[in-house]
């Protein structure tokens, strides 16, 4: 059990590759009680264990507290239910993680392995709450970061699987709230830009694509079709002076026959080509 949760923390939060586990089991004996406890891998240098609880047939059983120490000091502290020397039932594990601090996992265990629903709080401020699907590197739930960003969905080997829901701010100052696919904006979402321009609608492969609305602080507003991050297709543009342009747009500019309505309500048609009005 000892390093299963530690390695899962590295995989889910840090995106590390799936670690290799030792092929053989290890049993450590509490020298005071003579009770043995199971481990998933080889003992660390100088590792010892103490158990406060019942002992059945020489193995830790029932609810109790187990504490592991090694040459670097406290390694793990477990409060939970043992059966046959292995965690079976609900438990809380405090452990020294791979990033130099102590993290905590609370959840259900079966034969010493975390299974089903659980909560992982990393020493770096990351937090995961959800369900393990296929072992320690595959879960479904909500992962939140100290800066307030979060992702909700299926996570495997440190990456989202399929469509997930995310909230985050980029180093460029963009704030995104919506669906992601393979780490990119994909689906429906809301994007607030550093200049306070605002887009909400559909995204594909990280960029506005499909149907959406752009609200510009100084450049005017657009509602309609997008492709490649720009207005492409049929839509309506409202200029800062209140005039509206309805028609087809190519790379953000009117193209072809356009219906123009002035701020006073007067309508006319104009022809545009390559972003220029044709006289």
């Amino acid at each position: 059990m000892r390093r299963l949760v530690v390695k899962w923390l590295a995989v889910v939060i840090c995106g590390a590759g799936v670690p290799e586990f030792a092929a053989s089991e290890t049993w450590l004996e509490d020298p005071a009680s003579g009770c043995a406890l199971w481990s998933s891998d080889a003992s660390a240098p100088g590792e010892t264990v103490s158990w406060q609880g019942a002992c059945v047939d020489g193995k830790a059983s029932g609810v109790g507290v187990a504490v592991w120490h090694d040459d670097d000091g406290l390694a793990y502290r477990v409060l939970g239910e043992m059966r046959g020397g292995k965690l079976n039932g609900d438990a809380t594990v405090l452990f020294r993680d791979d990033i130099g601090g102590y993290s905590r996992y609370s959840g259900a265990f079966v034969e010493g392995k975390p299974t089903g629903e659980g909560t992982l709080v990393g020493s770096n401020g990351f937090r995961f709450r959800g369900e393990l699907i296929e072992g320690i590197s595959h879960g479904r739930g909500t992962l939140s970061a100290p800066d307030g960003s979060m992702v909700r969905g299926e996570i495997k080997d440190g990456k989202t699987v399929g469509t997930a829901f995310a909230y985050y701010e980029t180093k460029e100052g963009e704030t995104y709230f919506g669906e992601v696919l393979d780490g990119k904006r994909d689906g429906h979402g809301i994007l607030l830009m550093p200049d306070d321009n605002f887009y909400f609608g559909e995204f594909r492969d990280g960029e506005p694509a499909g149907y959406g609305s752009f609200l510009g602080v100084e450049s005017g507003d657009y509602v309609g079709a997008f492709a490649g991050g720009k207005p492409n297709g049929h839509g309506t543009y409202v200029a800062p002076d209140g005039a509206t342009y309805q028609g087809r747009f190519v790379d953000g500019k009117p193209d072809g026959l356009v219906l123009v309505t002035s701020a006073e309500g007067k309508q006319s048609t104009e022809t545009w080509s390559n972003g220029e009005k044709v006289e």
Side-chain angles (χ1 to χ4, degrees), residues 84-108:
K86 299 180 180 181
L87 275 174
N88 278 281
D90 293 332
T92 296
V93 183
L94 179 72
F95 56 93
R96 187 175 65 233
D97 54 38
D98 293 340
I99 52 180
Y102 284 89
S103 297
R104 184 179 73 252
Y105 178 79
S106 298

Side-chain angles (χ1 to χ4, degrees), residues 94-144:
L94 179 72
F95 56 93
R96 187 175 65 233
D97 54 38
D98 293 340
I99 52 180
Y102 284 89
S103 297
R104 184 179 73 252
Y105 178 79
S106 298
F109 287 77
V110 175
E111 291 297 296
K113 299 179 180 181
T115 304
E117 295 284 342
T119 300
L120 175 67
V121 181
S123 64
N124 56 4
F126 282 83
R127 180 185 181 93
F128 177 84
R129 180 176 178 83
E131 175 189 8
L132 301 184
I133 299 175
E134 297 174 350
I136 60 173
S137 65
H138 193 178
R140 180 185 294 112
T142 300
L143 177 64
S144 55

Side-chain angles (χ1 to χ4, degrees), residues 29-37 49-56 59-69 77-82 87:
E29 185 176 293
D30 175 9
S33 65
C35 265
L37 289 89
V49 65
S50 64
W51 165 249
Q52 297 178 7
C55 194
V56 177
K59 295 180 179 179
S61 297
V63 177
V65 178
V67 180
W68 280 264
H69 286 84
R77 185 174 69 232
V78 177
L79 171 61
E81 184 176 358
M82 297 280 185
L87 275 174

Side-chain angles (χ1 to χ4, degrees), residues 108-197:
F109 287 77
V110 175
E111 291 297 296
K113 299 179 180 181
T115 304
E117 295 284 342
T119 300
L120 175 67
V121 181
S123 64
N124 56 4
F126 282 83
R127 180 185 181 93
F128 177 84
R129 180 176 178 83
E131 175 189 8
L132 301 184
I133 299 175
E134 297 174 350
I136 60 173
S137 65
H138 193 178
R140 180 185 294 112
T142 300
L143 177 64
S144 55
D147 63 2
S149 60
M150 57 81 69
V151 60
R152 178 180 300 148
E154 188 174 334
I155 302 171
K156 185 175 183 180
D157 300 336
K159 300 179 180 179
T160 56
V161 177
T163 300
F165 183 85
Y167 167 79
Y168 61 86
E169 183 175 340
T170 68
K171 62 181 180 181
E172 293 79 17
E174 293 181 335
T175 300
Y176 179 72
F177 185 82
E179 294 177 301
V180 295
L181 178 65
D182 297 330
K184 295 182 178 181
R185 301 162 186 162
D186 202 291
H188 291 85
I190 299 172
L191 178 64
L192 178 62
M193 304 169 198
D195 54 9
D196 290 332
N197 290 338

